[in-house]
Amino acid sequence: MTIQTVGIIGAGTMGNGIAQACAVSGINVVMVDISDAAVQKGLATVASSLDRLIKKEKITEADKAAALGRIKTSTSYDDLKAAQLVIEAATENYELKLKILKQVDAIVAPEVIIASNTSSISITKLAAATSRADRFIGMHFFNPVPMMALVEIIRGLQTSDATHDAVKALAEALGKSPITVKNAPGFVVNRILVPMINEAFFVLAEGLATPEDIDAGMKLGCNQPIGPLALADMIGLDVCLAVMEVYLTEFGDSKYRPCPLLKEMVAAGRLGRKTGRGVYSY
């Protein structure tokens, strides 16, 4: 299957980022959200992002105009009928995703592939709620989508080879470097990353080093572009805690026990950049 038009549900950070990546690569986009204000805000974000690329001389004004011309905005799922692939990029909430996926499943043609951009919810479980489990897949983009090369392609138990191959080919057409993973809590990257962040909080709680020195150690000693504590502030401490709690529940292994300091900071409302204070102040 050749994917020429991609439907995207959600015009927020992830949705508009995916829309930009597609449009810049010559793929037509239908970006849908619950209100015209939401989709226009998403489109404005894409335009601003493209302006920054123009300043860096990565693209031209003509490239920007062409990319924006490939993005159609809508508040109706009916407009997704033109797509060969629909990517759900709504908030990370199982019930919400389930509601959206069932609506889309009922509207688009049987051969259309549906993907979820979830970073934690079971692809096998979501697929089972649709009438096309073999044409359902996880497509986990990383933030910021236009800049990050990785896409995790998650196969549910039911995902067909043809579906996997079509989505992998699209990811490559977007200039991304996809990796294929099996369905499991956290998939691959977050399964490794978030416990590392949690361990950094244990190190901090034990007073082994200052936050600055912990982050400097991981940047200089492990060649990481950002330290784990600063990264936690960027992700959101509440998100990190929620992920660890999912791992503890799903795996039943005490190695996934959330650090008490992380829990304390979340309880205090110190969630990171989005609240102005986490490990660091902003």
Side-chain angles (χ1 to χ4, degrees):
M1 176 188 287
T2 302
I3 298 171
Q4 298 173 315
T5 300
V6 173
I8 300 170
I9 301 167
T13 301
M14 298 306 294
N16 67 57
I18 297 168
Q20 178 179 327
C22 290
V24 167
S25 301
I27 305 292
N28 293 317
V29 174
V30 179
M31 185 168 64
V32 178
D33 212 317
I34 56 172
S35 69
D36 189 58
V39 289
Q40 291 307 319
K41 182 180 179 182
L43 191 63
T45 300
V46 173
S48 295
S49 178
L50 294 174
D51 283 338
R52 288 193 293 273
L53 292 176
I54 290 171
K55 288 181 180 178
K56 294 177 181 177
E57 299 184 346
K58 298 283 183 71
I59 64 170
T60 64
E61 286 283 358
D63 293 331
K64 174 189 172 184
L68 291 176
R70 295 186 188 103
I71 302 175
K72 175 182 179 180
T73 59
S74 175
T75 56
S76 172
Y77 285 176
D78 283 337
D79 289 325
L80 297 171
K81 290 178 180 178
Q84 293 82 45
L85 166 69
V86 176
I87 303 173
E88 170 273 312
T91 304
E92 196 72 352
N93 177 286
Y94 174 70
E95 295 300 333
L96 174 64
K97 288 182 183 291
L98 203 60
K99 179 183 176 182
I100 290 170
L101 292 170
K102 286 183 175 179
Q103 287 179 301
V104 173
D105 185 42
I107 290 172
V108 299
E111 65 272 13
V112 173
I113 296 171
I114 299 179
S116 176
N117 181 55
T118 180
S119 59
S120 64
I121 298 170
S122 168
I123 297 302
T124 296
K125 190 174 180 180
L126 291 175
T130 73
S131 65
R132 65 190 77 213
D134 61 321
R135 290 181 299 287
F136 192 94
I137 198 165
M139 204 174 184
H140 181 207
F141 290 84
F142 286 74
N143 186 30
V145 177
M147 305 299 293
M148 298 293 280
L150 179 65
V151 178
E152 280 184 316
I153 298 177
I154 305 104
R155 297 188 67 146
L157 192 63
Q158 318 94 316
T159 306
S160 70
D161 290 341
T163 296
H164 167 267
D165 293 349
V167 168
K168 182 181 179 185
L170 174 71
E172 291 170 343
L174 300 183
K176 304 301 184 187
S177 300
I179 62 170
T180 300
V181 307
K182 292 180 180 179
N183 184 62
F187 312 133
V188 167
V189 175
N190 285 342
R191 170 80 174 273
I192 298 168
L193 174 66
V194 184
M196 181 195 73
I197 289 172
N198 190 56
E199 194 64 26
F201 275 92
F202 274 114
V203 170
L204 178 62
E206 291 167 20
L208 299 184
T210 64
E212 292 81 3
D213 281 352
I214 292 168
D215 280 349
M218 294 304 290
K219 287 167 67 177
L220 299 173
C222 298
N223 205 27
Q224 294 181 356
I226 183 172
L229 298 173
L231 181 57
D233 276 355
M234 186 183 296
I235 294 168
L237 270 61
D238 54 335
V239 175
C240 295
L241 175 59
V243 171
M244 289 305 297
E245 288 174 335
V246 167
Y247 292 169
L248 185 62
T249 300
E250 293 290 328
F251 292 114
D253 190 327
S254 62
K255 74 178 181 180
Y256 296 113
R257 179 174 67 94
C259 176
L261 176 60
L262 175 60
K263 295 170 77 172
E264 276 286 287
M265 292 181 72
V266 171
R270 297 180 183 179
L271 308 183
R273 292 191 183 191
K274 60 188 173 185
T275 59
R277 187 173 182 185
V279 177
Y280 301 99
S281 295
Y282 299 91

